[in-house]
Amino acid sequence: MDDLIVDSVASVGAAYSDVSTLSRVPFFNPDAPTTTAFLKLQKKLRKQVGEAIKDFNMIEEGDKVMVCLSGGKDSYTMLDILLFLQSIAPIRFEIVAVNMDQKQPDFPEHILPEYLSKRNIPYYILEKDTYSIVKQLTPEGKTFCAVCSRLRRGSLYGFAQQIGATKVALGHHRDDIVATFFLNLFHGGTLKAMPPKLKSDDGKNIVIRPLAYVAEKDIIKYATQSQFPIIPCNLCGSQTNLQRAVVNNMLRDWDLEHPKRLASIFTALQNVHPSQLADREMFDFESLRADAAEENCAIDEKRLDVVNLTLA
């Protein structure tokens, strides 16, 4: 399949080669508002991202974090917050933005280079014609997502190795994680979601999701007010009746009617009790036995004494 891919890399804005030379000046977005409401939202998101990084040990001293930038609201927000945290963190780490140009028709190739260059953010543009391959390999009537994500993920993971990235940061947020849980529940027969941190299947990359604690509705507000130059997806976004879209609509309806429900569901993903489920690989049900008879008798005698004392 690699032979079918037209592959080239454009490096614009050289990546840092020495972590010790990184600037400690806080990242500033000149297009962001300075209203009290926005600053409050910004503080909230920065805190949530910082907590996720700390809770899952996502970024360590000397890391080179490859931030996958699609041009969507999520990845812009992730990059914006990580750049700020980089400037105030007690450790030093490197950030480089990487966009994968999949050669979709009418893709505005100039937007991301202009945005990143203007802000002096080191970046790479990885050019691979996965669009044609996805169209070719996806059966009529099927969704593009599975093939597209597999090709994109493989290309990005491989490129991370080429540039020496120690972490690969993806822009999935809390609602993406919850939606994936329900997709697997409804259609896959598994209790599985997206972990905030994982090792890639080939074992060569550590993938992190710094937005794991952040709600999508907050990202929408943040990205809109920050005036990020959003680039829409003309591939999966052009298809209708996607199961993920159905689940996302369900979650949004729940959030309107029960504002705390999604947070509760995400908390449940962090509070798993294998003995209360039915997975024999996760819990040894076969060996489960009651306590010894004599121990039960001793307990019963104590209970009887309490009853007798009460009646007396």
Side-chain angles (χ1 to χ4, degrees), residues 13-287:
Y16 297 115
S17 59
D18 182 1
V19 177
S20 65
T21 65
L22 296 181
S23 170
R24 305 294 284 185
V25 178
F27 175 74
F28 173 70
N29 178 9
D31 299 322
T34 57
T35 63
T36 300
F38 177 80
L39 294 177
K40 183 178 180 180
L41 175 63
Q42 186 179 62
K43 181 179 180 180
K44 175 184 178 181
L45 267 59
R46 287 173 173 175
K47 180 180 179 181
Q48 289 174 329
V49 172
E51 288 176 345
I53 291 173
K54 178 178 180 294
D55 289 350
F56 295 93
N57 192 29
M58 292 185 182
I59 300 176
E60 302 169 87
E61 177 73 37
D63 267 342
K64 183 172 185 175
V65 182
M66 187 179 97
V67 176
C68 299
L69 187 64
S70 67
K73 66 184 190 316
D74 306 328
S75 58
Y76 272 123
T77 299
M78 174 177 63
L79 176 63
D80 183 273
I81 296 174
L82 286 180
L83 285 168
F84 173 79
L85 294 179
Q86 179 193 41
S87 68
I88 65 168
I91 62 173
R92 289 180 177 267
F93 60 94
E94 183 178 347
I95 289 177
V96 57
V98 174
N99 169 254
M100 184 171 169
D101 181 354
Q102 297 178 267
K103 297 305 175 184
Q104 298 178 26
D106 303 320
F107 180 78
E109 298 179 355
H110 64 285
I111 290 181
L112 285 173
E114 288 179 0
Y115 175 84
L116 295 166
S117 297
K118 181 179 179 181
R119 288 156 181 77
N120 198 30
I121 302 171
Y123 71 93
Y124 292 95
I125 303 297
L126 175 62
E127 299 181 352
K128 288 198 172 184
D129 185 11
T130 59
Y131 178 85
S132 299
I133 299 173
V134 170
K135 287 282 193 176
Q136 177 184 342
L137 297 181
T138 303
E140 185 69 26
K142 299 295 183 179
T143 61
F144 300 137
C145 297
V147 177
C148 179
S149 61
R150 187 166 65 249
L151 288 173
R152 185 173 64 249
R153 186 166 57 246
S155 297
L156 289 171
Y157 287 178
F159 189 64
Q161 292 297 302
Q162 292 181 37
I163 65 174
T166 54
K167 301 288 171 60
V168 177
L170 303 180
H172 299 119
H173 46 69
R174 184 201 69 182
D175 296 17
D176 286 328
I177 295 173
V178 172
T180 301
F181 169 77
F182 281 106
L183 281 168
N184 285 316
L185 178 67
F186 295 158
H187 305 286
T190 60
L191 290 180
K192 183 172 67 173
M194 292 177 175
K197 181 181 179 181
L198 62 86
K199 182 187 291 186
S200 60
D201 292 339
D202 62 7
K204 296 180 180 179
N205 293 282
I206 295 296
V207 180
I208 60 175
R209 295 184 169 100
L211 299 179
Y213 290 170
V214 182
E216 182 181 31
K217 60 186 178 184
D218 287 336
I219 293 176
I220 293 173
K221 294 177 185 176
Y222 190 80
T224 301
Q225 295 181 48
S226 297
Q227 300 183 56
F228 295 138
I230 304 298
I231 302 174
C233 176
N234 295 323
L235 189 57
C236 60
S238 64
Q239 292 185 289
T240 57
N241 299 322
L242 297 176
Q243 289 300 327
R244 180 170 288 276
V246 173
V247 170
N248 284 336
N249 289 335
M250 178 189 75
L251 297 181
R252 292 187 186 107
D253 289 342
W254 282 357
D255 195 39
L256 289 174
E257 297 178 14
H258 310 280
K260 296 183 179 180
R261 178 172 290 182
L262 298 190
S264 179
I265 294 171
F266 185 78
T267 299
L269 295 178
Q270 300 173 284
N271 189 22
V272 179
H273 295 259
S275 65
Q276 306 303 305
L277 298 172
D279 189 333
R280 290 171 293 155
E281 297 295 327
M282 293 289 294
F283 187 80
D284 186 9
F285 293 99
E286 186 176 352
S287 301

